[in-house]
């Protein structure tokens, strides 16, 4: 006897094996039977509810292990845009930019820095430790499953703020305490954002010291590397060295190659470096989003010395005429010690998206070059002035990668698909927030045939589940969680684009979260069967 029987489907089980006709039986939120063949074999099977999906594909629920919904989980309506693209599990806290740990005395400083990435955090949420945050998430009605990494950048900010230089002995001990506590409390992994403040202060040797508590633990190390353009290859070798020392598996976040001068040959060499690391015995994988543009804080155009001290320090430098002139001189030349996005891609490829001041909102979605023309000023002055006006809380979409490189990484045997969605409060978001997973099915499976369906589903289910050690998710197998998606590939569609991003995915007949229907014929169902996912016991 089943609670639910999904019959007459075409099962793509998440393993990469060929699709096959069959039915799935569900009891108490678990898959308890996978029955090959057509409906004729089901005559003696009893179920409280039977859904005949009539030849539609049945797959595991999609898993996005790279989102920045740390604050969004507390917002009204959380889960709708995720479920509407087939997502049943997400993982937050990426790029070293987790919302925790955030002690009371540094809360304003840290959350101000993170705002363009995660948006505004409700004032009543306790953030002083990983456990406090997870306890707060558990109190929410969750429409899908949520996991969390611990961000190494936020750990440093909680211990030493955003100043430059080495940690003191006392600060290093505090860093270790925060990391040890988060790992003990079930963090799914440790994330690095080496390109971001304050982690750019660390050398490879420093990372080995600050991450010592995870040495030999087997906990996954996720990393936004130091550079993705001119320094891509050196940056990959750096993180491989760190992971090898720590004796932990390495996962490279959003692998890409920035800047036209690096396209093609750059990503080919990057994959070669990763393969060499694997051949040497290091477990290495990566993820990729199916877009040529990224999205992050506009302050990422600045060199490290201009980021010291967090937002107050940045504001002081951007209002100093001498520091402005020096900054323009730096940005006009190729980056030597930092990823100079302005030089790599140009102002015309950097769009301001989240602008909070009323007088600036008309410019949301326009490139810095276009805004500068409208304001009749040079783009450098325009960018500096607007950062000051907005107290640095500007999100950007930057067009940085090539379509051919995206296809290469999608095909790479050890890649999985993610969105890298940021959740700023207001403004024009990146379309990947709404459309990543239907885009893969529509563009790269159905239209361009970059991936066959079985491979694409594997990269959206069992591969990310394995990376995060989510042993009960990602496959249609007996005993696995009943997170399932049902769709007709011909109906999958996403119209979300850079000018009109807030368009929900379409074509999903059903999305089930732990056996409960969360989407029925593209309509959200009010259900709260999502769970908090933790390392060690899978979920709590």
């Amino acid at each position: 006897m089943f609670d639910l029987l999904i019959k007459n489907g075409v099962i793509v089980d998440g393993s990469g094996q060929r699709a096959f006709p069959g039915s799935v039986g569900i009891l108490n939120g678990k898959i308890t039977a996978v029955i090959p063949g057509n409906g004729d074999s089901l005559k003696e099977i009893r179920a409280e509810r039977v859904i005949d999906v009539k030849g539609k594909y049945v797959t595991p629920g999609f898993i996005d292990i790279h989102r920045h919904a740390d604050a969004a989980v507390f917002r009204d309506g959380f889960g709708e845009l995720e479920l509407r693209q087939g997502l049943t599990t997400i993982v937050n806290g990426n790029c070293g930019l987790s919302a925790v740990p955030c002690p009371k005395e540094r809360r304003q400083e840290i959350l101000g820095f993170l705002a363009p990435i995660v948006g505004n955090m409700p004032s009543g949420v306790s953030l002083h430790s990983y456990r406090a945050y997870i306890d707060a998430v558990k109190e929410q009605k969750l429409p899908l499953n949520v996991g969390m990494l611990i961000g190494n950048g936020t750990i440093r900010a909680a211990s030493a703020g955003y100043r430059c230089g080495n940690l003191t002995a006392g600060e290093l001990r505090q860093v270790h305490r925060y990391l040890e506590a988060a790992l003990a409390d079930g963090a799914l992994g440790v994330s690095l954002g080496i390109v971001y403040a304050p982690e750019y202060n660390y050398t490879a040797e420093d990372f080995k010291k600050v991450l010592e508590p995870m040495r030999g633990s087997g906990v996954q190390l996720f990393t936004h590397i130091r550079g993705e353009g001119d320094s891509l290859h050196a940056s990959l070798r750096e993180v491989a060295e760190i992971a090898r020392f720590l004796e932990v598996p390495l996962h490279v976040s959003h692998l890409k190659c920035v800047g036209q001068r690096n396209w093609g040959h750059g990503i080919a060499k990057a994959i070669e470096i990763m393969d060499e690391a694997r051949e040497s015995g290091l477990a290495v994988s990566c993820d990729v989003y199916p877009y040529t543009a990224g999205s992050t804080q506009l302050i990422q155009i600045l060199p490290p010395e201009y980021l010291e001290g967090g937002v107050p320090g940045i504001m002081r430098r951007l209002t100093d005429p001498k520091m402005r002139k020096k900054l323009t001189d730096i940005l006009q030349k190729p980056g030597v010690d930092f990823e100079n996005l302005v030089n790599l891609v140009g102002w015309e490829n950097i769009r301001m998206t989240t602008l909070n001041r009323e007088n600036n909102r008309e410019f949301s979605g326009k490139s810095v070059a276009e805004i500068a023309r409208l304001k009749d000023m040079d783009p450098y002055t325009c960018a500096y002035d607007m950062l000051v006006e907005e107290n640095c809380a500007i999100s950007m979409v930057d067009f940085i990668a090539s379509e051919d490189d995206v296809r290469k990484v999608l095909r790479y045997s050890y890649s999985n698909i993610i969105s890298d969605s940021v959740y700023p409060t207001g403004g024009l978001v990146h379309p990947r927030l709404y459309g990543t997973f239907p885009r893969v099915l529509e563009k790269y499976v159905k239209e361009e045939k970059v991936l066959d369906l079985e491979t694409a589903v594997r990269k959206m289910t069992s591969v990310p589940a394995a990376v995060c050690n989510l042993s009960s998710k990602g496959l249609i197998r007996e005993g696995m969680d009943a997170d399932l998606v049902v769709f007709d590939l011909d109906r999958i569609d996403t119209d979300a684009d850079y000018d009109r991003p807030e368009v929900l995915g379409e074509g999903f007949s059903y999305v089930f979260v732990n056996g409960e229907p969360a989407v029925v014929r593209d309509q959200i169902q009010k259900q709260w069967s999502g769970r908090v996912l933790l390392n060690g016991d899978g979920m709590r």
Side-chain angles (χ1 to χ4, degrees):
M1 180 71 175
F2 301 122
D3 294 332
L4 172 65
L5 177 66
I6 301 171
K7 73 174 187 177
N8 292 328
V10 178
I11 296 176
V12 182
D13 68 6
S15 70
Q17 296 179 2
R18 292 287 298 273
F20 60 91
S23 303
V24 180
I26 298 168
L27 181 65
N28 297 327
K30 293 284 188 179
I31 297 170
T32 52
V34 181
I35 308 160
N38 58 37
D40 292 340
S41 62
L42 306 175
K43 293 178 181 178
E44 303 302 318
I45 294 177
R46 298 176 60 197
E48 289 189 10
R49 184 183 181 194
V50 177
I51 299 176
D52 190 340
V53 297
K54 298 177 182 177
K56 292 182 173 64
Y57 290 109
V58 182
T59 78
F62 303 154
I63 300 172
D64 188 351
I65 61 172
H66 195 119
R67 289 180 95 87
H68 294 275
D70 306 36
V73 296
F74 301 102
R75 296 179 193 167
D76 291 340
F78 168 70
E80 180 174 1
L81 62 89
E82 291 83 7
L83 289 165
R84 284 288 302 273
Q85 56 185 300
L87 286 169
T88 57
T89 297
I90 65 169
V91 177
N92 299 317
N94 283 276
C95 298
L97 302 173
S98 62
V100 291
C102 191
K104 184 178 180 180
E105 64 272 18
R106 295 195 183 275
R107 183 181 179 109
Q108 183 176 355
E109 178 184 16
I110 292 172
L111 294 185
F113 183 82
L114 295 179
I117 302 295
V118 303
N120 297 328
M121 180 70 73
S123 59
V125 179
S126 180
L127 303 174
H128 65 275
S129 69
Y130 185 90
R131 176 179 291 179
Y133 172 84
I134 289 298
D135 287 344
V137 176
K138 287 179 181 178
E139 293 176 2
Q140 303 301 301
K141 293 180 177 179
L142 294 177
L144 71 163
N145 305 301
V146 176
M148 182 80 167
L149 309 177
I150 185 67
N152 188 58
T154 305
I155 284 179
R156 174 170 170 130
S159 305
Y162 289 93
R163 67 168 178 77
C164 288
N166 297 325
L167 296 175
T168 66
E171 289 167 346
L172 180 60
R173 287 193 295 272
Q174 182 60 65
V175 162
H176 285 175
R177 284 193 290 267
Y178 278 131
L179 182 54
E180 289 164 353
L183 293 177
D185 290 334
L188 294 179
V190 179
S191 73
L192 311 184
I194 306 178
V195 71
Y196 293 114
E199 282 189 273
Y200 61 69
N201 286 284
Y202 291 141
T203 65
E205 293 304 311
D206 291 331
F207 278 109
K208 294 173 186 177
K209 293 176 183 176
V210 299
L211 298 173
E212 178 66 30
M214 69 180 299
R215 188 173 186 183
S217 65
V219 172
Q220 191 89 27
L221 183 66
F222 298 76
T223 177
H224 183 144
I225 58 179
R226 196 178 298 274
E228 297 174 320
D230 297 339
S231 62
L232 171 62
H233 304 143
S235 298
L236 285 172
R237 292 189 178 98
E238 177 185 38
V239 293
E241 176 191 342
I242 294 166
R244 189 174 287 110
F245 172 82
L246 295 171
E247 301 174 8
V248 296
L250 174 66
H251 188 79
V252 178
S253 297
H254 40 62
L255 181 64
K256 57 185 173 291
C257 198
V258 174
Q260 188 170 356
R261 61 178 176 256
N262 298 310
W263 293 349
H265 65 90
I267 208 70
K269 181 63 176 179
I271 289 173
E272 182 181 314
I273 291 169
M274 293 177 63
D275 282 340
E276 288 172 354
R278 291 187 63 85
E279 290 168 7
S280 74
L282 181 66
V284 184
S285 57
C286 67
D287 54 44
V288 56
Y289 50 74
Y291 296 90
T292 58
S295 181
T296 187
Q297 307 150 298
L298 183 62
I299 59 172
Q300 282 308 114
I301 66 171
L302 304 176
E305 61 265 32
Y306 278 73
L307 297 173
E308 182 181 0
V311 172
I314 297 169
M315 294 285 283
R316 285 195 300 272
R317 294 178 189 91
L318 291 182
T319 52
D320 182 331
K322 291 182 179 178
M323 293 298 288
R324 278 192 175 210
K325 183 179 184 303
K326 179 183 176 183
L327 176 58
T328 299
D329 291 340
I330 293 171
L331 295 182
Q332 288 176 337
K333 303 179 181 68
V336 177
D337 300 320
F338 80 108
E339 187 98 299
N340 187 345
L341 280 174
V342 173
N343 184 267
L344 278 165
V345 304
W347 290 116
E348 65 276 10
N349 287 311
I350 299 173
R351 295 187 185 183
M352 297 190 192
T353 50
T354 298
L355 295 163
N356 296 303
R357 289 176 61 92
E358 186 65 37
N359 63 305
N360 287 330
R361 288 177 184 167
E362 64 180 292
F363 301 119
S364 181
K366 292 180 170 57
S367 72
V368 176
E370 185 179 1
I371 298 169
R373 287 193 294 271
L374 292 170
K375 286 176 165 281
D376 194 23
M377 59 175 62
D378 71 87
Y380 297 91
T381 301
C382 175
Y384 309 157
D385 282 357
M386 292 186 72
L387 279 169
V388 170
E389 289 177 26
E390 297 281 340
N391 200 38
C392 297
I394 301 177
S395 301
M396 70 172 174
V397 167
D398 47 339
F399 293 82
I400 51 182
S402 82
E403 187 64 52
D404 284 345
D405 283 356
V406 170
R407 295 188 186 101
K408 287 176 185 174
V409 184
L410 282 171
R411 291 191 187 102
Y412 182 51
S413 298
Y414 301 101
S415 71
N416 67 269
I417 293 159
I418 51 97
S419 69
D420 190 17
S421 291
V422 300
Y423 288 73
T425 305
L428 200 65
V429 297
H430 193 298
R432 64 191 181 188
L433 180 62
Y434 285 78
T436 293
F437 290 79
R439 176 179 172 86
V440 170
L441 296 172
E442 181 182 24
K443 178 178 173 66
Y444 294 103
V445 174
K446 183 170 60 176
E447 295 175 359
E448 297 186 3
K449 297 178 171 52
V450 173
L451 301 172
D452 59 47
L453 180 61
E454 291 87 348
T455 301
V457 169
R458 176 177 171 271
K459 286 175 178 283
M460 296 191 291
T461 59
S462 67
V463 176
V467 170
C468 285
N469 195 29
L470 302 176
S471 58
S472 64
K473 297 193 178 294
L475 290 167
I476 297 180
R477 294 277 194 278
E478 291 184 13
M480 304 294 281
D481 295 333
D483 297 336
L484 299 167
V485 179
V486 179
F487 60 90
D488 180 339
L489 185 59
D490 289 336
R491 290 192 60 247
I492 292 294
D493 178 69
T494 175
D495 291 326
D497 59 27
Y498 296 104
D499 297 316
R500 188 168 160 264
E502 296 180 356
V503 180
L504 294 166
E506 294 184 349
F508 295 99
S509 301
Y510 296 93
V511 177
F512 296 93
V513 177
N514 295 307
E516 295 296 324
V519 173
V520 177
R521 291 185 289 278
D522 287 328
Q523 298 298 309
I524 290 290
Q525 309 298 297
K526 292 296 184 182
Q527 57 77 46
W528 315 111
S529 59
R531 301 172 186 172
V532 173
L533 307 178
L534 298 171
N535 198 13
D537 64 357
M539 63 181 62
R540 296 178 189 172

